[in-house]
Amino acid sequence: MTPNFNEYPLQSIAVPYQYQVRDCDEEQIVMRSEMTLFQGTGVGEKLKKREADDESELKYEQKRFKNGQKIYNGEELVRTPSVDGLLKYSINDETDEAVAHTRTVPQVCHNDKALEDSPISEAPTAPNNASGVGNNNNNGLPLAGGQSDDGLPLSPIASPSNTASVEDLYMLRNTVSQQEYLGAVTTVAHTQLSPAAYRNLVFQLISKLSRSELSDLGTLVKDNLKRDFISSLPVEVAMNILTKLRFEDISKCLAVSKTWNSLLNNTPYMWRKLMVSEGFMSLNEFKKYKETTALSRQDPQHEDMTRVKFLQNHTYLKNCYSASFKPHRTTLRGHSVKIVTCLQFEDDYVITGADDRVIRVYDAKEERFITQLSGHDGGVWALKYGQDGILVSGSTDRSVRVWNIKEGKCTHVFKGHTSTVRCLDIVEHQGQKFIITGSRDHTLHVWKLPNCHDESYNPNTCKVFSTTDSNPYFVGILRGHMAAVRTVSGHGNIVISGSYDFSLMVWDIAQMKCLYVLTGHTDRIYSTIYDHERNRCISAGMDWTVRVWDLEDVQKNGHCNVIGPTNSGCIKVTNSMLTLQGHTALVGLLGLSDKFLVSAGADGMLRGWDSKTYSRQFAYHSKDMSAITTFYANNNLLVSGSEGQFNVYNLRNGTPIHSDLLSDADQVWSVKFNNRKFVAAVERDGHSFLEFLDFGRSEEKEGDHT
């Protein structure tokens, strides 16, 4: 009958190589020896031969029982000591040499009743025809005619061999349970067959199984091959493995077992690493976070909430990545003029400045207006938040002001610049924070940031310093540029300024001197970034290019020569390490995250580069190629604004997500976001508004307007 290959799928395939028995001479000899158990004369013929052989076996007579013991009409039978409680099987003696490499036969145990009733376990006694038996037994065997340990007489002749022949297995089947019998057969096959023959036998048995039986067997094997390698490793090694996984893999690991779940959920370090690797926290923020949590952990009531924060941020990002998700929108009134010149989004504060001479402060968490800071006599063109509710502003009135947002008051006024304060930054060196301001008067001024924790600090008093000589917070002036200072950035004691004189200058504020003058741009410089992690400077301007400068080894940039007095050590560097091309108009905006360097220009293009290698990663353009007026990016998202457009991009896969979130805005002037909310300063119908987009909750039927 033709087999049904659909029901028995393994019968339709050839025997795989690893299950084949090769036809070499040596293996054929072994196979012939091994298969003596399963081939030759039939069971009936062997039984007849055994019954006819009076010399090799005694005829069993009828048994009867008396007083709980066996009594025989013929010679008394005794239990063979070699099978007391055990059954042994071996190949015939003539094949021992051919299969000398096979494994030792394990012993198979049976219950007492089976042993008593089995003819294999009993042998008839015979007259002692052994001669020359001495008192010493070098082999450790009991003497003939002696007594065994249990008091029974020992057999006067050697016990017959317990060779497991076919009839032995046949007779055993009638004396033990089916499970025990199959166990004995399996043991014989496993111990007597060569590895190749045994594998071949197993495959042939499996090939006879139906599809459903194979499925059950496959499930059983698969489940029992699983191994919890994480639990078997030291915790440090296990966590070193797990911290290298993305959250998609971690979420699957959480469902593996209670052990894995407990290990992952109770390891705050792993969740902090995920905050960085998933782009919810920058490396700088991570370092600051470690410092604050180290102090917090000293409090016995402290509970690390990193895992909860991560899961929340992951939900917000998932919502943002969904094109169908519409965030909750809140619109608040803005400045009295339509153009917002600067915006800060820090510590749940949203702070905006404009040409109406005021600074407006909003609560980002509750999405409401808090206060308006007044005092400048000109437009506010520069803002920088300095933590603890301290804000610094620069204005066209040539002054620098320090504010306490919590009190809603100005605490310090610094005067000294002779033209508009166009840009500013705050750096920290050796525990002291400094304000760096750049002006159209071609200079940079350095000031100490007042410490709100000092005993002399009074938020209710405004200290005005009309000159630098009378100002205890004034550090000095950095001179060298030949035109307006348009941009400034810094970290630690290093500050970089970009000017309309086509050059950048690198300053050391600890020594108050110039280190390098970087030349190479052929037009005015509009934006600069100090990448302190790699000790590089990145700049962009009206010559349509983005340039990268190596400050670790300035010789890599181009020709270098010392300018000014020799002891001053200021080095002029001609050309840059890299020039990134692609824009076709002014490049006025730069942004840097842990993964990406992003540039935006008046050509309507957004270009992304790898922050380490500067290879091109993406390029987007606005509708109608209108100039990009603002953008903000991290490792996961890029948000840009321009005339009538507000676009959100997924930087993990490079696809646009949203383009209709603020479709009613005429112009988007500035945008920032944290892991949950987007904030945008927009112009609509000639008026200024501040928009909040909350991806932690979905849009209601009607947006909130205040």
Side-chain angles (χ1 to χ4, degrees):
M1 181 177 179
T2 304
N4 185 352
F5 294 142
N6 186 48
E7 181 64 20
Y8 299 90
L10 291 186
Q11 291 190 16
S12 63
I13 66 173
V15 179
Y17 178 81
Q18 62 269 33
Y19 296 105
Q20 294 178 5
V21 179
R22 258 67 68 190
D23 295 332
C24 61
D25 295 339
E26 181 180 352
E27 192 155 335
Q28 285 298 312
I29 295 174
V30 176
M31 281 298 300
R32 284 196 296 270
S33 302
E34 292 169 340
M35 295 307 293
T36 55
L37 291 175
F38 307 102
Q39 65 185 7
T41 59
V43 174
E45 294 178 357
K46 284 186 174 286
L47 288 176
K48 291 178 181 179
K49 182 179 179 181
R50 179 171 182 173
E51 292 173 357
D53 192 355
D54 293 333
E55 294 181 358
S56 61
E57 290 191 9
L58 297 176
K59 185 176 182 180
Y60 292 107
E61 297 184 11
Q62 184 178 3
K63 303 176 185 178
R64 54 191 180 85
F65 295 83
K66 181 182 290 184
N67 298 327
Q69 296 181 350
K70 294 181 180 179
I71 305 297
Y72 298 88
N73 293 333
E75 299 291 342
E76 184 178 7
L77 298 177
V78 298
R79 186 179 305 279
T80 304
S82 61
V83 292
D84 187 13
L86 301 170
L87 288 177
K88 296 185 179 180
Y89 302 94
S90 63
I91 298 297
N92 294 334
D93 294 338
E94 62 268 18
T95 64
D96 288 346
E97 182 176 353
V99 293
H101 64 283
T102 57
R103 290 162 287 191
T104 304
V105 183
Q107 297 175 339
V108 182
C109 298
H110 302 284
N111 55 44
D112 292 340
K113 184 178 184 307
L115 289 171
E116 290 176 358
D117 294 342
S118 173
I120 299 178
S121 64
E122 296 176 347
T125 59
N128 185 2
N129 55 5
S131 61
V133 179
N135 293 331
N136 295 331
N137 189 343
N138 295 332
N139 295 327
L141 298 174
L143 297 176
Q147 293 287 327
S148 66
D149 292 340
D150 56 3
L152 295 177
L154 297 176
S155 173
I157 61 173
S159 299
S161 172
N162 288 319
T163 301
S165 60
V166 175
E167 67 269 20
D168 294 334
L169 293 175
Y170 178 80
M171 297 177 68
L172 178 64
R173 185 179 64 179
N174 298 325
T175 60
V176 298
S177 66
Q178 186 177 16
Q179 181 66 39
E180 292 173 320
Y181 174 73
L182 292 176
V185 173
T186 304
T187 301
V188 171
H190 183 262
T191 57
Q192 300 301 326
L193 296 178
S194 67
Y198 184 73
R199 290 194 297 268
N200 183 274
L201 174 63
V202 170
F203 177 79
Q204 293 189 54
L205 292 173
I206 293 177
S207 66
K208 300 297 189 293
L209 298 179
S210 66
R211 184 176 297 276
S212 62
E213 292 168 337
L214 285 172
S215 177
D216 293 340
L217 180 62
T219 301
L220 178 65
V221 172
K222 182 179 179 181
D223 290 345
N224 283 277
L225 286 178
K226 293 178 179 179
R227 181 182 178 189
D228 187 356
F229 73 98
I230 289 294
S231 299
S232 63
L233 292 173
V235 176
E236 295 80 2
V237 178
M239 292 312 304
N240 191 36
I241 295 172
L242 294 173
T243 52
K244 290 179 170 56
L245 301 179
R246 293 186 63 85
F247 177 67
E248 289 77 6
D249 302 315
I250 291 293
S251 60
K252 295 176 183 178
C253 291
L254 287 168
V256 169
S257 67
K258 291 182 179 179
T259 302
W260 286 33
N261 188 284
S262 177
L263 177 64
L264 293 170
N265 281 333
N266 294 289
T267 309
Y269 172 76
M270 188 202 69
W271 296 100
R272 290 196 293 271
K273 290 277 289 184
L274 279 175
M275 288 284 284
V276 177
S277 64
E278 295 293 315
F280 301 141
M281 182 184 293
S282 68
L283 290 174
N284 286 334
E285 292 171 335
F286 178 66
K287 292 176 182 177
K288 294 178 181 178
Y289 180 80
K290 285 200 301 183
E291 295 174 358
T292 56
T293 53
L295 296 175
S296 301
R297 281 195 294 269
Q298 298 176 3
D299 182 1
Q301 303 298 323
H302 171 73
E303 180 181 359
D304 196 298
M305 299 297 292
T306 310
R307 174 180 168 273
V308 175
K309 291 179 180 178
F310 174 84
L311 295 176
Q312 289 175 342
N313 290 330
H314 184 266
T315 300
Y316 304 150
L317 182 62
K318 183 179 179 181
N319 292 341
C320 188
Y321 279 170
S322 173
S324 61
F325 185 88
K326 300 302 179 184
H328 181 272
R329 177 178 174 181
T330 301
T331 303
L332 303 179
R333 285 193 298 269
H335 291 268
S336 59
V337 294
K338 58 184 181 181
I339 299 176
V340 173
T341 56
C342 44
L343 183 148
Q344 293 278 290
F345 185 8
E346 302 283 348
D347 284 357
D348 288 329
Y349 290 116
V350 177
I351 309 158
T352 59
D355 270 335
D356 60 359
R357 305 180 182 183
V358 299
I359 299 168
R360 292 178 66 85
V361 183
Y362 304 84
D363 185 327
K365 189 173 183 179
E366 298 183 7
E367 299 178 356
R368 63 181 181 87
F369 172 74
I370 298 177
T371 188
Q372 180 170 287
L373 305 177
S374 302
H376 278 296
D377 295 327
V380 179
W381 282 69
L383 288 174
K384 186 67 178 182
Y385 182 77
Q387 294 184 337
D388 298 322
I390 302 301
L391 175 71
V392 181
S393 62
S395 170
T396 58
D397 65 5
R398 300 171 291 179
S399 70
V400 177
R401 286 180 176 257
V402 182
W403 310 81
N404 186 308
I405 294 177
K406 296 177 181 178
E407 299 295 331
K409 296 180 179 180
C410 176
T411 59
H412 299 79
V413 179
F414 299 157
K415 295 183 178 181
H417 280 292
T418 59
S419 187
T420 297
V421 178
R422 188 63 184 83
C423 53
L424 67 87
D425 199 1
I426 297 176
V427 298
E428 183 175 352
H429 178 59
Q430 295 182 348
Q432 174 65 56
K433 291 184 178 181
F434 297 92
I435 306 169
I436 315 297
T437 55
S439 171
R440 286 178 175 170
D441 63 8
H442 309 177
T443 68
L444 292 93
H445 282 44
V446 182
W447 326 76
K448 293 180 182 178
L449 178 67
N451 189 345
C452 62
H453 300 293
D454 285 347
E455 294 182 358
S456 60
Y457 180 82
N458 185 355
N460 297 314
T461 302
C462 181
K463 298 179 180 180
V464 180
F465 301 97
S466 299
T467 64
T468 56
D469 294 337
S470 62
N471 189 345
Y473 298 100
F474 177 72
V475 177
I477 301 176
L478 300 175
R479 304 180 188 274
H481 283 295
M482 305 301 293
V485 179
R486 177 63 174 78
T487 175
V488 62
S489 66
H491 181 84
N493 62 310
I494 301 299
V495 173
I496 300 174
S497 58
S499 170
Y500 284 170
D501 63 4
F502 309 172
S503 71
L504 299 105
M505 299 189 75
V506 182
W507 311 88
D508 181 353
I509 62 171
Q511 304 180 61
M512 291 300 292
K513 72 172 188 177
C514 171
L515 299 178
Y516 309 110
V517 177
L518 308 178
T519 62
H521 280 287
T522 59
D523 209 330
R524 288 168 286 181
I525 296 172
Y526 270 72
S527 182
T528 186
I529 293 175
Y530 176 44
D531 183 359
H532 64 275
E533 292 289 339
R534 303 171 186 87
N535 201 13
R536 292 173 180 173
C537 168
I538 306 166
S539 59
M542 286 196 70
D543 60 1
W544 308 356
T545 66
V546 177
R547 291 179 177 264
V548 182
W549 317 78
D550 190 334
L551 302 183
E552 186 72 27
D553 183 2
V554 293
Q555 300 289 338
K556 293 181 179 179
N557 301 300
H559 178 70
C560 302
N561 62 287
V562 178
I563 58 175
T566 305
N567 56 2
S568 68
C570 187
I571 299 174
K572 182 178 181 180
V573 180
T574 304
N575 217 337
S576 57
M577 181 180 76
L578 286 173
T579 301
L580 307 180
Q581 306 279 357
H583 287 285
T584 57
L586 160 70
V587 184
L589 302 170
L590 289 175
L592 182 68
S593 69
D594 294 333
K595 289 185 178 180
F596 301 108
L597 166 66
V598 184
S599 60
D603 57 359
M605 293 296 298
L606 286 157
R607 295 188 176 273
W609 326 79
D610 185 281
S611 61
K612 296 179 181 178
T613 64
Y614 306 105
S615 60
R616 294 189 180 187
Q617 299 297 306
F618 56 81
Y620 306 116
H621 63 82
S622 61
K623 184 175 61 177
D624 301 328
M625 305 301 287
S626 58
I628 305 295
T629 53
T630 182
F631 81 85
Y632 193 71
N634 62 15
N635 292 342
N636 299 318
L637 294 167
L638 169 62
V639 180
S640 69
S642 58
E643 184 178 355
Q645 297 178 65
F646 183 82
N647 298 316
V648 182
Y649 303 91
N650 180 342
L651 293 186
R652 289 191 177 182
N653 59 23
T655 59
I657 310 172
H658 304 282
S659 60
D660 58 348
L661 297 180
L662 297 176
S663 56
D664 56 347
D666 298 328
Q667 181 72 50
V668 181
W669 292 114
S670 189
V671 62
K672 292 286 178 67
F673 61 81
N674 61 15
N675 293 327
R676 174 172 179 168
K677 294 183 179 182
F678 292 1
V679 178
V682 304
E683 174 190 341
R684 185 167 54 247
D685 299 328
H687 297 283
S688 172
F689 296 93
L690 191 70
E691 300 281 1
F692 288 90
L693 299 174
D694 185 356
F695 284 89
R697 52 180 176 156
S698 59
E699 183 181 36
E700 298 176 355
K701 291 184 178 180
E702 294 184 2
D704 296 334
H705 296 272
T706 303

